[in-house]
Amino acid sequence: MSLLALDRLSVTLQGRTILSEVSLSLAPGEILGLVGESGSGKSMTALAVMGLLPEGARVTGSVRLDGREVLGLPEAALNRLRGAEAGMIFQEPMTALNPLMSIGDQVAEVLRIHGRMGRAAALEVARERLDRVGLTAPRFPLSLYPHELSGGQRQRVAIALAIALRPKLLIADEPTTALDVTTQAEVLRLIAGLARDEGMGLMLITHDLAVVAGMADRVAVMQGGRIVETAPTEALFRAPRAPYTHDLLRAATHRPGRVSQGEYLNQEETHAVSSWQKYSKSDDAPLLTVENATRIYRLPRPSAFAPHSELRAVDGVSFTLQPGESLGLVGESGCGKSTLTGAILGLDALQGGAIRLGNHAVGPKMPRAARADVQIVFQDPYGSFNPRQRVERLVAEPFHLTGRPADWRARVAEALREVGLDPADGRRFIHEFSGGQRQRLAIARALIIRPKLIVLDEAVSALDVRVRAQVLDLLAELQARHGLAYLFISHDLSVVHAVTSRCLIMQAGRIVEDGPTEAIFTNPRHDYTRRLLAATPRIPAGWIPKEEPAS
Amino acid sequence: MARYLLIRLMSLGAALVVASGVIFLMIEVTPGDPARFMLGMNAAPETVAALSAQLGLDRPVGLRYLDWITGMLRGDFGLSYTYKVPVAELVADRLALSAPLAALALALSTLIALPAGLYAAARRGRVGDSAVMGLSQLGIAVPNFWFAMLLVLVFALHWRLFPAGGFPGWADPGAGLRVLILPAVALALPQAAILARVLRSALIEELGRDYIRTARAKGASRGRALLRHALRNALIPALTILGMQFSFLLAGAIIIENVFYLPGLGRLIFQAITQRDLIVVESVVMLLVFAVIAVTFLTDLAYAAVDPRLRRRG
């Protein structure tokens, strides 16, 4: 008998259909990957199982957990079920824990809610569960508060409280999306190990196909509130039946403007010249020179009379970037990427070394006209636009560096056309655009004053795979047309691999490896690069089909 | 924690020094002879000279300031010009009424606001929420002196449940307390209305956070998520308002004490101003400033008690 069975589960919220006729099953000890793009209904499916749908949701169909119908259970019965029979882990570890409650109490609360023990006994079990998730005794006392832990450690606490009562079903909703690759690998291993050891059924929700490829027994693909395909993992990757699954797989391994190569795809095209590489002419004078850049932050004194300790956020970084080149900068959170970016944009002063862009020294006092040579596209397509201004004003923003030309409206229209939008969109407001369109607008904004260098700071990290593939294609096309140089900053090695010709690996403020991307990825020299590559989830070689799906 | 305390204490000290300087300058150094000002236009020159000598106005400003400060530190606030008694005695007398009144009002406003805010947040968007918020809107809009008069009309004159004014002293604590109830209610209601609104919106914000979802996924009921998780987090903005309300209570007391004929600090400062008793004004204002700064300090301590992030970071 299956542990969890969804039968034609449909959910509508304020007249909008969120889920329609979702049917799924999960056996004890099985790992089911639930994959889809944002808004496809993955999380809603999970919340429906937990009985935690938003107020006002109308639900039909059936959700049976361990043979018992969950839909229509009274609130008190649901409270008894949540945490005891089904545990859930959420995406954002930084906010998932109560900041005012110690981690021991938060784990112990599960045991105490379900009425099985007093505080002392519950804390004892909490200790054991925290040990189990790798937060062991002397270093991680129960009295710690969430703010004293890193993101990965907080996610471990969230896992400990989800498994505190050894539930039969564990739902993990994008449990590692907010984590660095090396942490992600550890947390995924932990979750999979727990599921196997305790014989739990695990529903793993993710947008990342590579994550399910390495973990799940079966995969269900969702689109627009429906399950479009369910199949054993390898079969799904090798022979996707639904056209949508096929699109997703293609997009996940997409290489813009160049023929796919290496272990990801077919070998014979490996030597095809990429349009990205074609423009890197290494004999020209460099466009950007970073020499021994150093940025030190003063930290608070550890005690009242001790000297300030310091954080060398950027520690003697040197590299050059040629006109027209695509350079990748890879590193995990806290490695100094953002500080370095701020310095390259001339927003932050350095404490040592120098940065030159063309003939200008880069720094907070650099002339405005020189600033026009470098533009940036940020990660968050929602937060990086003023919602009260029309798109044409937003796109024309960089003109304050050079003075707004008389034909600025025509220039805006041209920039919009270049990124594949309608010039008429200039009169609209930002909330009328999707995430992918907003990122196109951000690119149009960067492009409008014809910079020589665009810094892409995690510019495609927030986008769904298919949209990401389109935006990467657009970037390749623009680079070919305008001879732009890109500094592509990302934590996502597969994207950097796909779009850059040269790559820097940054760790703790230093560049630990610098070389052609292909060489770094096939033959990493530094130990940290090796660890990063080993931790990156990937779809096994040969799993991706080349041909169109059978209709 | 020690570091946090030390920093708060230092800023408390600095605020007191600055405040005392400003008060002293405003009253002593502004143009015109304080003695003449205190005595009025028609005073005889000899009287003015005598008062000048009594106030020590012939001495340098810096020395007078130091005298004033060191005097206050010893508990010597000077002699009231109109009452001819030491200001300290006068203030102590009045504090015996004003401090319990403020405490009672603060307690009442918290006791009203806490359940009202919790109820409204738990029922957000429904009739109960709208009713509580409508009432609180009314509580904010109605001036407290008008409300005080209404209370007197209904509870003192019509139903004769409470006295309409005057203060019998603490010889009979029951009688003393009875007198303070109506004024405390008049002071507390508008504050409770504000506090309830702040608490409600803070709670609703907290209820939307991820850790509440985590708590619910653990099996915590709505009530438990609200009381055990959201409330403590919502206390931080509520404490800020509560601390600020203390100074409004002091200001409000000036009016309310006049409405109820209560011999409190508010009435003392009101009379001192009308009688130009600058020595009393100076000391009472300084005392009020001290009270507000001390409450701010207590609020900071309360933050640290609620929020572990403040305790460790300092």
Side-chain angles (χ1 to χ4, degrees), chain B residues 123-188:
Chain B
R123 315 273 312 166
R124 66 181 175 284
R126 303 192 205 163
V127 182
D129 179 22
S130 310
V132 171
M133 283 305 102
L135 279 176
S136 89
Q137 191 67 59
L138 197 71
I140 293 169
V142 173
N144 61 6
F145 61 87
W146 188 82
F147 194 70
M149 292 194 282
L150 209 66
L151 286 176
V152 170
L153 270 176
V154 175
F155 291 97
L157 301 182
H158 187 72
W159 285 342
R160 301 189 177 278
L161 291 173
F162 298 101
F167 183 63
W170 289 111
D172 174 5
L177 204 62
R178 248 166 70 89
V179 168
L180 292 190
I181 285 181
L182 285 189
V185 169
L187 275 171

Side-chain angles (χ1 to χ4, degrees), chain A residues 466-480:
Chain A
R466 290 185 308 159
V467 180
R468 172 187 300 182
Q470 292 161 8
V471 170
L472 290 176
D473 279 341
L474 170 69
L475 287 171
E477 185 193 322
L478 291 171
Q479 182 172 46

Side-chain angles (χ1 to χ4, degrees), chain A residues 47 50-52 55 75 78-80 82-84 86-88 90-92 95-101 105-107 109-110 112-114 143-145 147-148 161 300-301 303-304, chain B residues 3 6 122 124 126 206 209-225 228-236 303 305-314:
Chain A
L47 292 176
M50 297 295 287
L52 284 174
E55 265 176 67
E75 187 61 27
L78 282 173
N79 285 337
R80 279 195 297 276
R82 292 180 200 125
M88 187 159 175
F90 298 95
Q91 171 170 354
E92 199 32 86
T95 54
L97 301 175
N98 185 340
L100 306 185
M101 212 180 195
D105 281 335
Q106 298 202 43
V107 177
E109 192 188 14
V110 189
R112 302 185 64 201
I113 288 172
H114 294 280
S143 56
L144 285 180
Y145 285 94
H147 72 272
E148 297 168 289
L161 61 85
R301 296 168 199 272
S303 69
Chain B
R3 192 181 140 90
L6 193 74
R124 66 181 175 284
R126 303 192 205 163
E206 293 301 327
R209 293 204 195 272
D210 287 353
Y211 68 83
I212 295 293
R213 194 180 53 185
T214 306
R216 298 277 287 140
K218 282 184 197 177
S221 63
R222 273 177 221 286
R224 189 183 172 100
R228 282 301 197 85
H229 292 273
L231 180 59
R232 199 153 166 218
N233 280 281
L235 275 185
I236 293 166
Y303 283 156
V306 170
D307 194 336
R309 287 165 292 190
L310 289 174
R311 285 206 288 277
R312 310 252 168 145
R313 235 188 273 139

